[in-house]
Amino acid sequence: MTITVYHYPKCTTCKKAIAWLKAEGVAFDTKDLVTETPTAEEVKEMQEKSGLPLKKFFNTSGMKYRELGLKDRLAEMSESEQLELLASDGMLIKRPITYDGERVTVGFNENKFIENWKK
C-alpha cells in the first residue's frame, strides 16, 4: 500500500519527516493538509488504526487551536464533533500524519519512523 504523508508545506517538522523518508528511499505521496484536508471518516480510520486518543490528532500548539479555545472545550465535545472539527480545517491537525492504510504515525519522531517506515 502507498504511504501518504499529510503535511503542511511550510511546516519544518513536515519537511524533516519528508527528508527522512527520501533519505531512506521510502516511496510516498503527499497531501497538503490545508487543500486536501482528510474527511472526518478518514481521520477516524487513521485514529483507530493508530491506537492513539483522538486528542493526539489535534495541533495543540497551533494558532487556530488557541483561537478556538479548544484546550478548554475539547473535553466537552463528542467524538463526532471533534472529528468534524478536524475535518473542517487542516490547520487543526497535528502534522505530519504518515499513513499506509495500516500503520500511522502522527508528528515526526525518528524512532517511530524507523520502527514503522524503514525498509
Side-chain angles (χ1 to χ4, degrees):
M1 183 132 213
T2 304
I3 295 172
T4 301
V5 179
Y6 293 88
H7 72 116
Y8 178 59
K10 295 179 182 176
C11 168
T12 55
T13 304
C14 295
K15 290 177 185 177
K16 285 180 194 171
I18 288 169
W20 187 93
L21 290 167
K22 285 180 180 174
E24 292 296 327
V26 177
F28 62 93
D29 294 326
T30 59
K31 288 192 177 188
D32 184 323
L33 276 170
V34 176
T35 60
E36 298 178 87
T37 307
T39 65
E41 294 78 22
E42 290 169 327
V43 174
K44 178 149 183 64
E45 179 183 313
M46 290 186 277
Q47 184 258 326
E48 287 175 349
K49 299 255 175 149
S50 74
L52 296 169
L54 190 53
K55 185 180 190 311
K56 295 285 186 187
F57 281 75
F58 280 89
N59 178 11
T60 57
S61 60
M63 283 191 299
K64 193 77 170 182
Y65 184 88
R66 289 193 298 265
E67 279 173 21
L68 296 174
L70 293 177
K71 179 182 175 200
D72 301 319
R73 294 180 42 220
L74 214 52
E76 301 162 6
M77 296 172 75
S78 70
E79 180 182 276
S80 61
E81 288 173 321
Q82 291 180 37
L83 288 165
E84 288 300 326
L85 190 58
L86 286 166
S88 73
D89 188 337
M91 294 304 281
L92 287 171
I93 299 175
K94 182 163 177 75
R95 55 191 184 249
I97 295 177
T98 309
Y99 181 53
D100 71 355
E102 291 300 320
R103 296 168 294 171
V104 181
T105 52
V106 180
F108 176 65
N109 173 306
E110 190 169 1
N111 290 332
K112 294 261 186 234
F113 265 52
I114 291 167
E115 184 181 311
N116 286 282
W117 312 120
K118 192 165 176 127
K119 287 186 170 182

